[in-house]
Amino acid sequence: MTDVYDRAKQDIFRKRGEIEEIRNRRFRKIVRYVYENSPLYRRKFKESGIDIDKIKSIEDISRLPFTTKQELRESYPLKAVCVPKDRVVRVQMSGGTTGQPVIIPYTRHDVEQWKEMMMRAFFLAEVTERDIIQITPAFGLWNGGFGFHFAADAINAFVIPIGPGNTRNQIRFMVDFGTTVLAGTASYPLRIAEVADEMGIDVAELNVEKLILGAEPWSEEMRRRIERTFDARAYDIPGLTEMGGVGTVGFECPERDGLHIWEDNYVAEVIDPETGEVLDEGEEGEVVYTALNREGMPLIRYRSGEVSTIISRDGCECGIEHTKIKRIRGRTDDMIIYKGVKFYPTDVENILAEHGVVNYKIFAINGKLEIVFEGDERIKSAIAKDLAEFVGIHPAIKTVPIGQLERFEGKAKRLIRG
Ligand SMILES: [Zn+2]
């Protein structure tokens, strides 16, 4: 275990010059690799008139075409894969539950790379072999469960691979085994706390010290609430199957105001989702990732749909010199435009959670906007005031009694459009 940790530490704290050297070398190599091995990229590069001999450094990345989720759908089942089928060791799936699935194949190298990136997250969250890790994301085609599992297993932690659902059972295991680390979607912990309360258990009294949460954008206020409820620390972990799964692209900065992108393995750019133009530091847009160290199906300039901002390419207070981006504010699909104001569900969640509201829905239907939450009628006006002041919106607001709205054990669906 010391070995994998030492390795993680070394990679996390690489100096800028070294990171640059590695990423440039890997970038040149991966561009050639996908061109030579992936039918998808061979075609795309040819169509875009790319001469790969002229791609010399990361600076040239903007000459390469984007890759979209639609192209991955069309590549089903294994049309964009760079290796013969006998080198694929597993697949995971991304995307919606309808339509053509998006399949991400892994070679042995890719599974190791996944584990290695997760190890960096474990190092920063100080998860060790002494931890009892309850893994609530699904074990199946969705990637969450396995990502946590591979790394937890590698450090010889006590793994409870329980998967999602059956919340009472989750709580029973947390009590009986003394779970110290809870891995899950961001909306699950407060549901667990609610059910525990019905069982007469205060989750703050449990042994849980850390929660590693992701799979959906969640607000800073929600984090504070989860931390107070569990008397524990909650970490934000990114999770993009197309880049290899949970924890691969980066992890939360110890300063807790953004995510460091592991730049020896990934390039992150932020673009204007409308025009495709690459934006500067500090400008918000869609994050585009390039995988530099994957083998089965490395993606070049993949449009993630995640909305964020590059904070800085200079060293961070925490000592990590990998580029930092803001926590994911939302997904491009979830952006709401109401009376000319653009915002995301997390902006609303921030305000609601500040007023103690954790269960809510946002209805954006026929140009109308309504926010429905469980809670006291009396806080409505304070919420309306804050939404106007901090988000710039004046929606209809409705309260319903506690327990009225749908609960989520996986990703929450709080935005209803029509
Ligand atoms: Zn940092």
Side-chain angles (χ1 to χ4, degrees):
M1 175 182 148
T2 335
D3 290 355
V4 290
Y5 260 166
D6 285 350
R7 169 82 194 276
K9 186 177 174 187
Q10 189 190 333
D11 291 336
I12 290 168
F13 292 102
R14 275 189 199 287
K15 293 293 157 208
R16 194 66 222 166
E18 228 181 318
I19 296 170
E20 291 293 342
E21 188 277 316
I22 297 171
R23 68 203 295 254
N24 271 306
R25 176 163 40 85
R26 287 184 171 166
F27 175 71
R28 281 191 299 270
K29 198 172 147 194
I30 207 81
V31 170
R32 182 166 291 277
Y33 174 80
V34 296
Y35 179 75
E36 287 173 354
N37 296 288
S38 160
L40 173 69
Y41 284 109
R42 177 175 291 262
R43 178 176 58 74
K44 280 172 72 73
F45 288 5
K46 278 192 174 152
E47 280 170 7
S48 310
I50 305 291
D51 176 356
I52 54 161
D53 290 327
K54 294 208 170 117
I55 305 293
K56 302 256 183 242
S57 79
I58 299 266
E59 306 294 309
D60 301 318
I61 195 167
S62 56
R63 292 160 60 184
L64 302 175
F66 295 121
T67 307
T68 63
K69 192 157 201 162
Q70 185 54 30
E71 287 173 312
L72 300 187
R73 277 197 196 98
E74 288 160 8
S75 301
Y76 177 87
L78 295 170
K79 290 196 198 90
V81 177
C82 291
V83 296
K85 202 170 169 185
D86 62 5
R87 291 203 45 219
V88 173
V89 298
R90 69 185 301 111
V91 291
Q92 302 288 155
M93 191 172 86
S94 155
T97 46
T98 54
Q100 192 79 289
V102 170
I103 292 294
I104 309 298
Y106 292 68
T107 63
R108 177 57 54 199
H109 167 89
D110 295 336
V111 173
E112 290 301 312
Q113 189 257 0
W114 191 4
K115 195 163 79 184
E116 200 185 300
M117 297 304 107
M118 277 301 289
M119 210 60 78
R120 296 184 189 185
F122 277 10
F123 176 85
L124 288 171
E126 296 175 47
V127 174
T128 73
E129 64 189 339
R130 289 184 299 280
D131 278 304
I132 296 153
I133 308 179
Q134 189 160 331
I135 303 175
T136 73
F139 286 85
L141 279 169
W142 310 106
N143 75 76
F146 286 107
F148 284 103
H149 175 83
F150 289 144
D153 182 67
I155 59 169
N156 295 319
F158 182 150
V159 178
I160 307 174
I162 188 166
N166 200 343
T167 304
R168 285 180 164 259
N169 220 26
Q170 300 272 3
I171 296 160
R172 192 170 151 205
F173 276 26
M174 288 162 74
V175 173
D176 293 345
F177 293 109
T179 301
T180 58
V181 177
L182 188 70
T185 58
S187 39
Y188 200 25
L190 291 179
R191 174 60 185 156
I192 291 176
E194 187 177 47
V195 175
D197 195 47
E198 287 163 18
M199 294 163 73
I201 294 166
D202 177 1
V203 292
E205 301 294 318
L206 298 178
N207 287 359
V208 176
E209 292 163 8
K210 288 155 196 162
L211 301 101
I212 304 183
L213 308 173
E216 56 193 346
W218 51 303
S219 66
E220 206 49 44
E221 269 306 321
M222 193 59 93
R223 173 186 355 233
R224 278 193 270 277
R225 192 151 182 103
I226 292 168
E227 293 192 327
R228 277 200 306 270
T229 307
F230 279 80
D231 187 22
R233 213 167 155 82
Y235 295 87
D236 186 9
I237 192 160
L240 195 65
T241 319
E242 294 89 327
M243 287 297 123
V246 62
T248 48
V249 298
F251 191 62
E252 178 154 64
C253 172
E255 301 285 309
R256 310 204 326 153
D257 58 356
L259 307 165
H260 284 288
I261 298 297
W262 303 131
E263 286 186 285
D264 51 344
N265 278 257
Y266 295 92
V267 180
E269 302 168 87
V270 171
I271 64 159
D272 179 327
E274 307 280 311
T275 63
E277 181 204 351
V278 179
L279 300 176
D280 290 332
E281 267 181 39
E283 291 186 295
E284 187 180 80
E286 179 179 356
V287 187
V288 170
Y289 292 104
T290 296
L292 298 177
N293 189 23
R294 292 186 66 81
E295 198 176 54
M297 194 173 77
L299 300 180
I300 308 294
R301 303 196 89 202
Y302 180 68
R303 294 191 59 161
S304 69
E306 294 173 350
V307 175
S308 182
T309 308
I310 289 174
I311 298 177
S312 172
R313 296 201 189 273
D314 297 330
C316 175
E317 291 280 307
C318 73
I320 298 175
E321 297 189 10
H322 294 265
T323 289
K324 187 154 96 175
I325 67 171
K326 284 190 185 169
R327 292 183 64 207
I328 306 302
R329 184 177 171 198
R331 297 192 47 83
T332 46
D333 307 342
D334 291 340
M335 188 177 76
I336 304 161
I337 305 175
Y338 178 63
K339 296 193 174 164
V341 179
K342 290 181 183 176
F343 67 100
Y344 294 88
T346 50
D347 302 329
V348 172
E349 182 183 282
N350 239 332
I351 305 284
L352 294 173
E354 212 170 15
H355 290 274
V357 172
V358 293
N359 292 299
Y360 65 94
K361 287 223 169 194
I362 301 169
F363 295 89
I365 294 169
N366 292 333
K368 293 207 171 68
L369 182 67
E370 185 180 41
I371 294 170
V372 178
F373 68 83
E374 286 182 4
D376 200 318
E377 183 82 12
R378 282 171 298 184
I379 57 174
K380 255 169 70 172
S381 61
I383 287 176
K385 188 168 161 279
D386 284 353
L387 286 171
E389 187 176 342
F390 298 107
V391 190
I393 53 171
H394 299 82
I397 301 178
K398 189 176 140 191
T399 60
V400 292
I402 302 284
Q404 202 84 348
L405 297 175
E406 187 186 354
R407 297 295 191 264
F408 303 95
E409 294 172 335
K411 289 189 201 187
K413 187 169 167 37
R414 295 196 170 108
L415 172 62
I416 314 294
R417 286 184 191 274

